[in-house]
Amino acid sequence: GEDVEQSLFLSVREGDSSVINCTYTDSSSTYLYWYKQEPGAGLQLLTYIFSNMDMKQDQRLTVLLNKKDKHLSLRIADTQTGDSAIYFCAEIPFTGNTGKLIFGQGTTLQVKP
Amino acid sequence: EAGVAQSPRYKIIEKRQSVAFWCNPISGHATLYWYQQILGQGPKLLIQFQNNGVVDDSQLPKDRFSAERLKGVDSTLKIQPAKLEDSAVYLCASSPRETSGYTFGSGTRLTVV
């Protein structure tokens, strides 16, 4: 089946690292994504990882993929108040492979000064 | 490049009324998606177009929702008649092809009273 689960809320202090976790059920997922949504705005693609990779780093963002446990995480180093937003994990299931994105329910990141 | 344009940004209607949303994707993007995002949830796919053909409309409530993509460019999503549970943000996204990264518009926030 197709299902993506995330914790709902994370609070950190400015300058700390944030780790947002996600689990998915479709073991044949080809692409896994992280999107950011600020209040009243659309979804901004932050980064993505192919299923044959274990890790991807992009400036302050590090994505870790554990295929055995179907677990994806997003680490934000030196978290800033501007990082406060809702973060969505999403997968493209291989089944049918139409490109349909399956989203988690989102993790609200609160950054305290 | 210009982003995905959506209008209107906000719409308030009474239940049983009709409403239409418009989307202009990024030029040259063959694939267009409409997602529904209910408050506190992740977006869910309503319909996917490849050029002007429907690829996936399995989650579209066809008794009240309809969508078209004229000439493989702009798209409209219509709800007739609206119900209270249709209150949500309607997001349009486009990509050059299936399985490519999406670009999302800012969305239309619909409130049904």
Side-chain angles (χ1 to χ4, degrees), chain A residues 31 33 35 37 40-43 45 88 92 97-106, chain B residues 9 33 35 37 40-43 45 48 55-56 91 98-102 104-106:
Chain A
Y31 300 84
Y33 298 84
Y35 281 85
Q37 187 176 41
L43 293 158
L45 177 64
F88 291 94
I92 292 183
N97 206 14
T98 63
K100 175 175 77 173
L101 273 173
I102 307 296
F103 285 88
Q105 67 268 53
Chain B
R9 285 285 280 131
Y33 308 83
Y35 280 80
Q37 185 179 17
Q41 298 181 18
L45 181 71
Q48 176 184 347
V55 174
D56 184 351
L91 294 161
E98 295 171 351
T99 75
S100 296
Y102 293 19
F104 279 88
S106 298

mmCIF file of all heavy atoms in Angstrom, chain A residues 31 33 35 37 40-43 45 88 92 97-106, chain B residues 9 33 35 37 40-43 45 48 55-56 91 98-102 104-106:
data_model
loop_
_atom_site.group_PDB
_atom_site.id
_atom_site.type_symbol
_atom_site.label_atom_id
_atom_site.label_comp_id
_atom_site.label_asym_id
_atom_site.label_seq_id
_atom_site.Cartn_x
_atom_site.Cartn_y
_atom_site.Cartn_z
ATOM 1 N N TYR A 31 11.708 7.550 -5.921
ATOM 2 C CA TYR A 31 12.162 8.874 -5.522
ATOM 3 C C TYR A 31 11.491 9.244 -4.205
ATOM 4 O O TYR A 31 10.316 8.971 -4.012
ATOM 5 C CB TYR A 31 11.762 9.932 -6.568
ATOM 6 C CG TYR A 31 12.311 9.704 -7.954
ATOM 7 C CD1 TYR A 31 11.664 8.849 -8.839
ATOM 8 C CD2 TYR A 31 13.461 10.363 -8.378
ATOM 9 C CE1 TYR A 31 12.157 8.642 -10.108
ATOM 10 C CE2 TYR A 31 13.950 10.158 -9.650
ATOM 11 C CZ TYR A 31 13.303 9.298 -10.507
ATOM 12 O OH TYR A 31 13.787 9.089 -11.769
ATOM 13 N N TYR A 33 11.134 12.676 -1.533
ATOM 14 C CA TYR A 33 11.285 14.129 -1.581
ATOM 15 C C TYR A 33 11.036 14.755 -0.212
ATOM 16 O O TYR A 33 10.287 14.217 0.607
ATOM 17 C CB TYR A 33 10.252 14.737 -2.541
ATOM 18 C CG TYR A 33 10.382 14.287 -3.983
ATOM 19 C CD1 TYR A 33 9.819 13.099 -4.410
ATOM 20 C CD2 TYR A 33 11.040 15.083 -4.912
ATOM 21 C CE1 TYR A 33 9.924 12.690 -5.728
ATOM 22 C CE2 TYR A 33 11.146 14.685 -6.240
ATOM 23 C CZ TYR A 33 10.584 13.487 -6.633
ATOM 24 O OH TYR A 33 10.689 13.097 -7.951
ATOM 25 N N TYR A 35 9.612 18.564 0.955
ATOM 26 C CA TYR A 35 9.056 19.855 0.576
ATOM 27 C C TYR A 35 8.883 20.719 1.823
ATOM 28 O O TYR A 35 8.643 20.218 2.922
ATOM 29 C CB TYR A 35 7.684 19.693 -0.085
ATOM 30 C CG TYR A 35 7.734 19.261 -1.527
ATOM 31 C CD1 TYR A 35 7.829 17.924 -1.864
ATOM 32 C CD2 TYR A 35 7.678 20.197 -2.557
ATOM 33 C CE1 TYR A 35 7.879 17.518 -3.189
ATOM 34 C CE2 TYR A 35 7.727 19.813 -3.883
ATOM 35 C CZ TYR A 35 7.824 18.463 -4.191
ATOM 36 O OH TYR A 35 7.869 18.081 -5.505
ATOM 37 N N GLN A 37 6.683 24.120 3.293
ATOM 38 C CA GLN A 37 5.523 24.972 3.060
ATOM 39 C C GLN A 37 5.452 26.033 4.139
ATOM 40 O O GLN A 37 5.255 25.721 5.311
ATOM 41 C CB GLN A 37 4.229 24.150 3.031
ATOM 42 C CG GLN A 37 3.012 24.974 2.611
ATOM 43 C CD GLN A 37 1.765 24.127 2.483
ATOM 44 O OE1 GLN A 37 1.509 23.241 3.293
ATOM 45 N NE2 GLN A 37 0.962 24.384 1.461
ATOM 46 N N GLY A 40 0.513 30.181 4.011
ATOM 47 C CA GLY A 40 -0.102 30.839 2.866
ATOM 48 C C GLY A 40 0.621 30.644 1.558
ATOM 49 O O GLY A 40 0.257 31.271 0.554
ATOM 50 N N ALA A 41 1.616 29.779 1.542
ATOM 51 C CA ALA A 41 2.414 29.588 0.325
ATOM 52 C C ALA A 41 2.250 28.179 -0.205
ATOM 53 O O ALA A 41 1.727 27.289 0.467
ATOM 54 C CB ALA A 41 3.880 29.873 0.613
ATOM 55 N N GLY A 42 2.703 27.990 -1.433
ATOM 56 C CA GLY A 42 2.696 26.656 -2.018
ATOM 57 C C GLY A 42 3.838 25.828 -1.467
ATOM 58 O O GLY A 42 4.494 26.193 -0.491
ATOM 59 N N LEU A 43 4.076 24.709 -2.105
ATOM 60 C CA LEU A 43 5.112 23.782 -1.661
ATOM 61 C C LEU A 43 6.410 24.054 -2.418
ATOM 62 O O LEU A 43 6.419 24.132 -3.636
ATOM 63 C CB LEU A 43 4.669 22.345 -1.907
ATOM 64 C CG LEU A 43 3.504 21.903 -1.055
ATOM 65 C CD1 LEU A 43 2.789 20.717 -1.682
ATOM 66 C CD2 LEU A 43 3.989 21.531 0.334
ATOM 67 N N LEU A 45 10.128 22.636 -3.254
ATOM 68 C CA LEU A 45 10.980 21.455 -3.218
ATOM 69 C C LEU A 45 12.319 21.806 -2.578
ATOM 70 O O LEU A 45 13.025 22.692 -3.040
ATOM 71 C CB LEU A 45 11.207 20.923 -4.635
ATOM 72 C CG LEU A 45 12.152 19.721 -4.747
ATOM 73 C CD1 LEU A 45 11.586 18.511 -4.022
ATOM 74 C CD2 LEU A 45 12.419 19.384 -6.217
ATOM 75 N N PHE A 88 7.128 18.471 4.485
ATOM 76 C CA PHE A 88 6.435 17.277 3.998
ATOM 77 C C PHE A 88 7.429 16.312 3.364
ATOM 78 O O PHE A 88 8.255 16.708 2.524
ATOM 79 C CB PHE A 88 5.383 17.644 2.950
ATOM 80 C CG PHE A 88 4.211 18.400 3.491
ATOM 81 C CD1 PHE A 88 4.183 19.783 3.466
ATOM 82 C CD2 PHE A 88 3.125 17.718 4.032
ATOM 83 C CE1 PHE A 88 3.089 20.481 3.964
ATOM 84 C CE2 PHE A 88 2.031 18.406 4.525
ATOM 85 C CZ PHE A 88 2.021 19.788 4.490
ATOM 86 N N ILE A 92 7.327 8.844 -4.606
ATOM 87 C CA ILE A 92 6.681 8.415 -5.849
ATOM 88 C C ILE A 92 6.736 6.896 -5.837
ATOM 89 O O ILE A 92 7.800 6.309 -5.996
ATOM 90 C CB ILE A 92 7.393 8.963 -7.098
ATOM 91 C CG1 ILE A 92 7.206 10.475 -7.182
ATOM 92 C CG2 ILE A 92 6.835 8.305 -8.358
ATOM 93 C CD1 ILE A 92 7.818 11.113 -8.415
ATOM 94 N N ASN A 97 3.965 3.967 -11.576
ATOM 95 C CA ASN A 97 4.980 4.965 -11.918
ATOM 96 C C ASN A 97 4.447 6.093 -12.782
ATOM 97 O O ASN A 97 5.035 6.455 -13.785
ATOM 98 C CB ASN A 97 6.165 4.285 -12.612
ATOM 99 C CG ASN A 97 7.444 5.066 -12.417
ATOM 100 O OD1 ASN A 97 7.518 5.950 -11.570
ATOM 101 N ND2 ASN A 97 8.450 4.764 -13.195
ATOM 102 N N THR A 98 3.309 6.670 -12.375
ATOM 103 C CA THR A 98 2.752 7.792 -13.130
ATOM 104 C C THR A 98 3.340 9.117 -12.665
ATOM 105 O O THR A 98 3.024 10.154 -13.226
ATOM 106 C CB THR A 98 1.224 7.854 -12.961
ATOM 107 O OG1 THR A 98 0.928 8.086 -11.576
ATOM 108 C CG2 THR A 98 0.561 6.568 -13.418
ATOM 109 N N GLY A 99 4.152 9.084 -11.636
ATOM 110 C CA GLY A 99 4.693 10.319 -11.102
ATOM 111 C C GLY A 99 3.855 10.914 -9.988
ATOM 112 O O GLY A 99 4.166 11.987 -9.492
ATOM 113 N N LYS A 100 2.792 10.208 -9.585
ATOM 114 C CA LYS A 100 1.941 10.716 -8.503
ATOM 115 C C LYS A 100 2.737 10.765 -7.210
ATOM 116 O O LYS A 100 3.372 9.796 -6.804
ATOM 117 C CB LYS A 100 0.745 9.780 -8.332
ATOM 118 C CG LYS A 100 -0.145 10.130 -7.163
ATOM 119 C CD LYS A 100 -1.373 9.248 -7.116
ATOM 120 C CE LYS A 100 -1.084 7.870 -6.595
ATOM 121 N NZ LYS A 100 -2.334 7.099 -6.401
ATOM 122 N N LEU A 101 2.713 11.905 -6.525
ATOM 123 C CA LEU A 101 3.381 12.068 -5.236
ATOM 124 C C LEU A 101 2.427 11.682 -4.111
ATOM 125 O O LEU A 101 1.285 12.130 -4.085
ATOM 126 C CB LEU A 101 3.818 13.514 -5.032
ATOM 127 C CG LEU A 101 5.181 13.945 -5.565
ATOM 128 C CD1 LEU A 101 5.353 15.442 -5.412
ATOM 129 C CD2 LEU A 101 6.300 13.220 -4.854
ATOM 130 N N ILE A 102 2.922 10.872 -3.181
ATOM 131 C CA ILE A 102 2.180 10.544 -1.965
ATOM 132 C C ILE A 102 2.842 11.295 -0.821
ATOM 133 O O ILE A 102 4.031 11.094 -0.550
ATOM 134 C CB ILE A 102 2.217 9.036 -1.669
ATOM 135 C CG1 ILE A 102 1.750 8.231 -2.880
ATOM 136 C CG2 ILE A 102 1.368 8.721 -0.434
ATOM 137 C CD1 ILE A 102 0.315 8.458 -3.266
ATOM 138 N N PHE A 103 2.083 12.172 -0.156
ATOM 139 C CA PHE A 103 2.633 13.020 0.893
ATOM 140 C C PHE A 103 2.311 12.476 2.279
ATOM 141 O O PHE A 103 1.252 11.880 2.503
ATOM 142 C CB PHE A 103 2.022 14.428 0.799
ATOM 143 C CG PHE A 103 2.555 15.264 -0.330
ATOM 144 C CD1 PHE A 103 1.979 15.204 -1.587
ATOM 145 C CD2 PHE A 103 3.627 16.118 -0.118
ATOM 146 C CE1 PHE A 103 2.463 15.982 -2.627
ATOM 147 C CE2 PHE A 103 4.112 16.906 -1.147
ATOM 148 C CZ PHE A 103 3.530 16.837 -2.404
ATOM 149 N N GLY A 104 3.213 12.746 3.216
ATOM 150 C CA GLY A 104 2.904 12.577 4.623
ATOM 151 C C GLY A 104 2.044 13.750 5.086
ATOM 152 O O GLY A 104 1.743 14.665 4.315
ATOM 153 N N GLN A 105 1.682 13.728 6.363
ATOM 154 C CA GLN A 105 0.784 14.762 6.877
ATOM 155 C C GLN A 105 1.518 16.036 7.268
ATOM 156 O O GLN A 105 0.883 17.022 7.616
ATOM 157 C CB GLN A 105 -0.058 14.223 8.039
ATOM 158 C CG GLN A 105 0.742 13.888 9.290
ATOM 159 C CD GLN A 105 1.191 12.439 9.301
ATOM 160 O OE1 GLN A 105 1.796 11.950 8.353
ATOM 161 N NE2 GLN A 105 0.914 11.745 10.404
ATOM 162 N N GLY A 106 2.835 16.006 7.206
ATOM 163 C CA GLY A 106 3.607 17.212 7.480
ATOM 164 C C GLY A 106 4.079 17.314 8.920
ATOM 165 O O GLY A 106 3.363 16.927 9.858
ATOM 166 N N ARG B 9 -6.627 33.557 -5.647
ATOM 167 C CA ARG B 9 -5.860 33.136 -4.453
ATOM 168 C C ARG B 9 -6.793 32.681 -3.351
ATOM 169 O O ARG B 9 -6.466 31.768 -2.590
ATOM 170 C CB ARG B 9 -4.997 34.291 -3.967
ATOM 171 C CG ARG B 9 -3.792 34.557 -4.799
ATOM 172 C CD ARG B 9 -2.686 33.505 -4.567
ATOM 173 N NE ARG B 9 -1.933 33.796 -3.350
ATOM 174 C CZ ARG B 9 -1.671 32.898 -2.411
ATOM 175 N NH1 ARG B 9 -2.105 31.657 -2.508
ATOM 176 N NH2 ARG B 9 -0.968 33.230 -1.342
ATOM 177 N N TYR B 33 -0.770 18.577 -12.508
ATOM 178 C CA TYR B 33 -1.449 17.902 -11.400
ATOM 179 C C TYR B 33 -2.324 18.907 -10.644
ATOM 180 O O TYR B 33 -1.951 20.067 -10.469
ATOM 181 C CB TYR B 33 -0.429 17.356 -10.396
ATOM 182 C CG TYR B 33 0.677 16.500 -10.975
ATOM 183 C CD1 TYR B 33 1.807 17.079 -11.530
ATOM 184 C CD2 TYR B 33 0.615 15.107 -10.915
ATOM 185 C CE1 TYR B 33 2.833 16.303 -12.040
ATOM 186 C CE2 TYR B 33 1.638 14.325 -11.413
ATOM 187 C CZ TYR B 33 2.750 14.929 -11.977
ATOM 188 O OH TYR B 33 3.768 14.153 -12.473
ATOM 189 N N TYR B 35 -3.884 19.018 -6.787
ATOM 190 C CA TYR B 35 -3.893 18.402 -5.468
ATOM 191 C C TYR B 35 -4.865 19.165 -4.572
ATOM 192 O O TYR B 35 -5.024 20.388 -4.694
ATOM 193 C CB TYR B 35 -2.498 18.444 -4.827
ATOM 194 C CG TYR B 35 -1.547 17.385 -5.302
ATOM 195 C CD1 TYR B 35 -0.864 17.518 -6.507
ATOM 196 C CD2 TYR B 35 -1.309 16.239 -4.539
ATOM 197 C CE1 TYR B 35 0.005 16.537 -6.941
ATOM 198 C CE2 TYR B 35 -0.432 15.259 -4.970
ATOM 199 C CZ TYR B 35 0.215 15.413 -6.168
ATOM 200 O OH TYR B 35 1.082 14.438 -6.596
ATOM 201 N N GLN B 37 -5.456 20.041 -0.539
ATOM 202 C CA GLN B 37 -4.814 19.999 0.766
ATOM 203 C C GLN B 37 -5.786 20.526 1.811
ATOM 204 O O GLN B 37 -6.032 21.735 1.895
ATOM 205 C CB GLN B 37 -3.525 20.825 0.781
ATOM 206 C CG GLN B 37 -2.770 20.712 2.101
ATOM 207 C CD GLN B 37 -1.473 21.502 2.124
ATOM 208 O OE1 GLN B 37 -1.245 22.387 1.314
ATOM 209 N NE2 GLN B 37 -0.597 21.175 3.054
ATOM 210 N N GLY B 40 -4.218 20.840 7.918
ATOM 211 C CA GLY B 40 -3.607 19.872 8.825
ATOM 212 C C GLY B 40 -3.217 18.557 8.169
ATOM 213 O O GLY B 40 -2.743 17.648 8.853
ATOM 214 N N GLN B 41 -3.403 18.466 6.862
ATOM 215 C CA GLN B 41 -3.061 17.231 6.151
ATOM 216 C C GLN B 41 -2.090 17.519 5.015
ATOM 217 O O GLN B 41 -1.902 18.668 4.606
ATOM 218 C CB GLN B 41 -4.337 16.588 5.577
ATOM 219 C CG GLN B 41 -5.345 16.177 6.623
ATOM 220 C CD GLN B 41 -6.569 15.527 6.010
ATOM 221 O OE1 GLN B 41 -6.547 15.081 4.862
ATOM 222 N NE2 GLN B 41 -7.638 15.462 6.779
ATOM 223 N N GLY B 42 -1.488 16.451 4.503
ATOM 224 C CA GLY B 42 -0.670 16.587 3.316
ATOM 225 C C GLY B 42 -1.538 16.654 2.074
ATOM 226 O O GLY B 42 -2.695 16.231 2.089
ATOM 227 N N PRO B 43 -1.002 17.172 0.979
ATOM 228 C CA PRO B 43 -1.782 17.238 -0.267
ATOM 229 C C PRO B 43 -2.113 15.844 -0.788
ATOM 230 O O PRO B 43 -1.318 14.908 -0.641
ATOM 231 C CB PRO B 43 -0.838 17.968 -1.228
ATOM 232 C CG PRO B 43 0.147 18.678 -0.363
ATOM 233 C CD PRO B 43 0.309 17.820 0.845
ATOM 234 N N LEU B 45 -3.581 13.852 -4.360
ATOM 235 C CA LEU B 45 -3.799 14.027 -5.796
ATOM 236 C C LEU B 45 -5.277 13.892 -6.152
ATOM 237 O O LEU B 45 -5.943 12.945 -5.742
ATOM 238 C CB LEU B 45 -2.992 12.992 -6.582
ATOM 239 C CG LEU B 45 -3.124 13.093 -8.106
ATOM 240 C CD1 LEU B 45 -2.417 14.343 -8.634
ATOM 241 C CD2 LEU B 45 -2.565 11.842 -8.781
ATOM 242 N N GLN B 48 -4.361 13.989 -12.661
ATOM 243 C CA GLN B 48 -3.088 14.187 -13.338
ATOM 244 C C GLN B 48 -3.321 14.160 -14.834
ATOM 245 O O GLN B 48 -3.984 13.259 -15.352
ATOM 246 C CB GLN B 48 -2.105 13.084 -12.949
ATOM 247 C CG GLN B 48 -0.769 13.141 -13.673
ATOM 248 C CD GLN B 48 0.134 11.982 -13.328
ATOM 249 O OE1 GLN B 48 -0.119 11.260 -12.370
ATOM 250 N NE2 GLN B 48 1.191 11.793 -14.093
ATOM 251 N N VAL B 55 -4.260 11.064 -16.990
ATOM 252 C CA VAL B 55 -3.464 9.890 -16.631
ATOM 253 C C VAL B 55 -4.057 9.186 -15.419
ATOM 254 O O VAL B 55 -4.122 7.961 -15.365
ATOM 255 C CB VAL B 55 -2.006 10.293 -16.341
ATOM 256 C CG1 VAL B 55 -1.198 9.109 -15.821
ATOM 257 C CG2 VAL B 55 -1.357 10.896 -17.573
ATOM 258 N N ASP B 56 -4.506 9.985 -14.429
ATOM 259 C CA ASP B 56 -5.016 9.416 -13.185
ATOM 260 C C ASP B 56 -6.072 10.350 -12.621
ATOM 261 O O ASP B 56 -5.762 11.491 -12.302
ATOM 262 C CB ASP B 56 -3.864 9.224 -12.187
ATOM 263 C CG ASP B 56 -4.296 8.553 -10.888
ATOM 264 O OD1 ASP B 56 -5.508 8.371 -10.649
ATOM 265 O OD2 ASP B 56 -3.395 8.192 -10.091
ATOM 266 N N LEU B 91 -4.043 22.987 -4.977
ATOM 267 C CA LEU B 91 -2.706 23.251 -5.492
ATOM 268 C C LEU B 91 -2.565 22.675 -6.890
ATOM 269 O O LEU B 91 -2.947 21.538 -7.144
ATOM 270 C CB LEU B 91 -1.651 22.600 -4.588
ATOM 271 C CG LEU B 91 -1.531 23.160 -3.178
ATOM 272 C CD1 LEU B 91 -0.822 22.167 -2.277
ATOM 273 C CD2 LEU B 91 -0.777 24.479 -3.196
ATOM 274 N N GLU B 98 6.545 12.888 -16.428
ATOM 275 C CA GLU B 98 6.247 12.078 -15.253
ATOM 276 C C GLU B 98 7.564 11.700 -14.573
ATOM 277 O O GLU B 98 8.544 11.423 -15.230
ATOM 278 C CB GLU B 98 5.501 10.814 -15.675
ATOM 279 C CG GLU B 98 4.128 11.108 -16.258
ATOM 280 C CD GLU B 98 3.499 9.873 -16.864
ATOM 281 O OE1 GLU B 98 4.199 8.847 -16.972
ATOM 282 O OE2 GLU B 98 2.331 9.918 -17.223
ATOM 283 N N THR B 99 7.553 11.703 -13.254
ATOM 284 C CA THR B 99 8.675 11.355 -12.363
ATOM 285 C C THR B 99 9.729 12.447 -12.254
ATOM 286 O O THR B 99 10.691 12.304 -11.551
ATOM 287 C CB THR B 99 9.389 10.023 -12.745
ATOM 288 O OG1 THR B 99 10.193 10.220 -13.902
ATOM 289 C CG2 THR B 99 8.404 8.909 -12.981
ATOM 290 N N SER B 100 9.535 13.582 -12.938
ATOM 291 C CA SER B 100 10.428 14.713 -12.703
ATOM 292 C C SER B 100 9.990 15.462 -11.452
ATOM 293 O O SER B 100 8.886 15.287 -10.971
ATOM 294 C CB SER B 100 10.392 15.679 -13.879
ATOM 295 O OG SER B 100 10.877 15.076 -15.037
ATOM 296 N N GLY B 101 10.841 16.318 -10.949
ATOM 297 C CA GLY B 101 10.461 17.152 -9.817
ATOM 298 C C GLY B 101 9.338 18.095 -10.207
ATOM 299 O O GLY B 101 9.262 18.582 -11.324
ATOM 300 N N TYR B 102 8.446 18.325 -9.265
ATOM 301 C CA TYR B 102 7.307 19.198 -9.502
ATOM 302 C C TYR B 102 7.647 20.635 -9.162
ATOM 303 O O TYR B 102 8.458 20.896 -8.278
ATOM 304 C CB TYR B 102 6.165 18.862 -8.559
ATOM 305 C CG TYR B 102 5.464 17.552 -8.695
ATOM 306 C CD1 TYR B 102 5.994 16.471 -9.346
ATOM 307 C CD2 TYR B 102 4.213 17.419 -8.109
ATOM 308 C CE1 TYR B 102 5.306 15.281 -9.412
ATOM 309 C CE2 TYR B 102 3.517 16.238 -8.160
ATOM 310 C CZ TYR B 102 4.060 15.167 -8.817
ATOM 311 O OH TYR B 102 3.372 14.003 -8.884
ATOM 312 N N PHE B 104 5.185 23.673 -7.745
ATOM 313 C CA PHE B 104 3.828 23.961 -7.276
ATOM 314 C C PHE B 104 3.507 25.439 -7.405
ATOM 315 O O PHE B 104 4.385 26.290 -7.224
ATOM 316 C CB PHE B 104 3.675 23.566 -5.804
ATOM 317 C CG PHE B 104 3.436 22.102 -5.581
ATOM 318 C CD1 PHE B 104 4.502 21.228 -5.439
ATOM 319 C CD2 PHE B 104 2.145 21.593 -5.514
ATOM 320 C CE1 PHE B 104 4.294 19.870 -5.240
ATOM 321 C CE2 PHE B 104 1.930 20.243 -5.313
ATOM 322 C CZ PHE B 104 3.000 19.388 -5.180
ATOM 323 N N GLY B 105 2.239 25.735 -7.674
ATOM 324 C CA GLY B 105 1.730 27.086 -7.567
ATOM 325 C C GLY B 105 1.437 27.422 -6.109
ATOM 326 O O GLY B 105 1.580 26.575 -5.226
ATOM 327 N N SER B 106 1.017 28.665 -5.878
ATOM 328 C CA SER B 106 0.745 29.119 -4.508
ATOM 329 C C SER B 106 -0.589 28.610 -3.971
ATOM 330 O O SER B 106 -0.847 28.700 -2.776
ATOM 331 C CB SER B 106 0.765 30.637 -4.442
ATOM 332 O OG SER B 106 2.033 31.114 -4.791
#
